[in-house]
Amino acid sequence: MPAAGTRDGTAAGAAQAEACGGLAVLGGSFNPPHIGHLRLAIEVRELLGKRARGVDLVPCAVPPHKRAASLLPFELRAAMLEAALADLPDLNCNRLEGRRPGPSYTWDTLCAYRREQPATELYFVLGSPNLPLLPTWRNGLALPELCHLLVVPREGQDAAFFAATARRLWPAARERAPLLPGCPSLELPGGGLAIFAPLPWLDVSASRVRRLWLAGRRPDFLVPPVVLRMLRAARPLVLEHWQEKD
Ligand code: ATP
């Protein structure tokens, strides 16, 4: 199973990336990028240690599930994410979903990673509320053919919730020794692991940032200063999109 991922898509880039082990993939709307996303990426990077060469943050072009009314243009979201990541080695923005037409299915994205670098082990980061929703995703239950699932708890969903949900989704899942210290793991049909990663979750969301912005309040410190500067520079465009009702 798991393997893939390069930013430039060249053969040299792929060979270099493959020489460096695994890669975590963190998808999202990033509407806008906030400190919760950045802290999560850093925590994942540190958790994986030598098992991975970095974390790719992948902005979604056309969300298959979320209503897209209030979504800022892909270009602005990707540019803000790149600016936010500029001083964070090993954390990269990958714009591949912006180059594909139609809904940005995670399955297609991970297949693209696998095609480019078949030997790279992939760790797809998933918030725990999304775990029970996987059957509604395109080929959601087949994702372990492509990657490990790194499940990060939210809303009090603990290791017991993780194990019960994973066993319900994949009755053939088998318990195995944790791949990462302190992170219970199940081996899933397809070969990938479901890994419970009890990483901290900051009380910030993009919706909260948007609400503050629309109320004329200050989202300082919830988003990196460079993101705030870019939002202010694009104020009319930002207002136009965020005022749209989802
Ligand atoms: P929205 O509020 O618009 O629904 P969001 O803040 O949840 O957006 P997304 O872009 O949808 O952000 O999330 C991208 C990824 O970051 C997802 O895996 C999500 O679970 C994770 N994430 C979002 N907020 C946090 C947070 N505060 N701490 C850690 N991870 C987060």
Side-chain angles (χ1 to χ4, degrees):
M1 121 8 295
T6 172
R7 268 200 295 175
D8 58 12
T10 63
Q16 187 197 10
E18 278 199 294
C20 306
L23 182 71
V25 175
L26 170 56
S29 311
F30 303 105
N31 184 38
H34 55 68
I35 58 166
H37 300 132
L38 300 176
R39 280 306 313 167
L40 177 63
I42 291 169
E43 299 275 357
V44 166
R45 173 76 198 98
E46 291 178 350
L47 177 71
L48 291 174
K50 288 196 169 69
R51 290 192 169 274
R53 65 175 187 278
V55 181
D56 268 12
L57 292 89
V58 180
C60 175
V62 183
H65 289 105
K66 282 188 188 180
R67 295 280 307 281
S70 65
L71 201 58
L72 293 173
F74 177 84
E75 177 56 39
L76 178 58
R77 289 181 289 118
M80 288 191 292
L81 190 53
E82 282 165 354
L85 297 174
D87 294 328
L88 295 166
D90 307 342
L91 307 188
N92 302 304
C93 168
N94 187 330
R95 292 176 174 244
L96 85 169
E97 293 190 349
R99 296 192 285 270
R100 272 202 325 260
S104 308
Y105 293 112
T106 297
W107 173 263
D108 295 342
T109 297
L110 293 173
C111 283
Y113 271 99
R114 292 302 305 269
R115 265 195 312 276
E116 286 185 13
Q117 292 180 63
T120 297
E121 203 152 3
L122 289 177
Y123 297 82
F124 180 69
V125 181
L126 192 69
S128 61
N130 277 325
L131 185 61
L133 301 181
L134 278 183
T136 68
W137 291 23
R138 169 177 283 195
N139 297 337
L141 294 181
L143 287 177
E145 293 173 15
L146 306 175
C147 62
H148 300 306
L149 300 175
L150 202 62
V151 181
V152 183
R154 201 173 181 179
E155 296 160 14
Q157 293 173 333
D158 58 7
F161 168 87
F162 159 79
T165 307
R167 287 186 182 288
R168 180 169 55 77
L169 296 180
W170 297 278
R174 287 189 301 130
E175 203 152 328
R176 55 151 285 161
L179 184 76
L180 305 165
C183 300
S185 301
L186 291 167
E187 195 171 320
L188 303 178
L193 302 178
I195 302 169
F196 181 73
L199 301 174
W201 196 282
L202 296 180
D203 186 16
V204 51
S205 65
S207 348
R208 181 173 164 205
V209 174
R210 295 196 298 272
R211 274 197 306 275
L212 289 175
W213 180 275
L214 288 176
R217 296 178 57 198
R218 304 185 61 157
D220 299 67
F221 305 110
L222 297 179
V223 299
V226 68
V227 168
L228 200 49
R229 281 198 297 277
M230 293 172 82
L231 288 170
R232 287 195 178 123
R235 186 183 293 274
L237 179 81
V238 171
L239 266 182
E240 177 197 328
H241 284 83
W242 284 358
Q243 275 172 343
E244 297 247 337
K245 286 279 167 276
D246 273 332

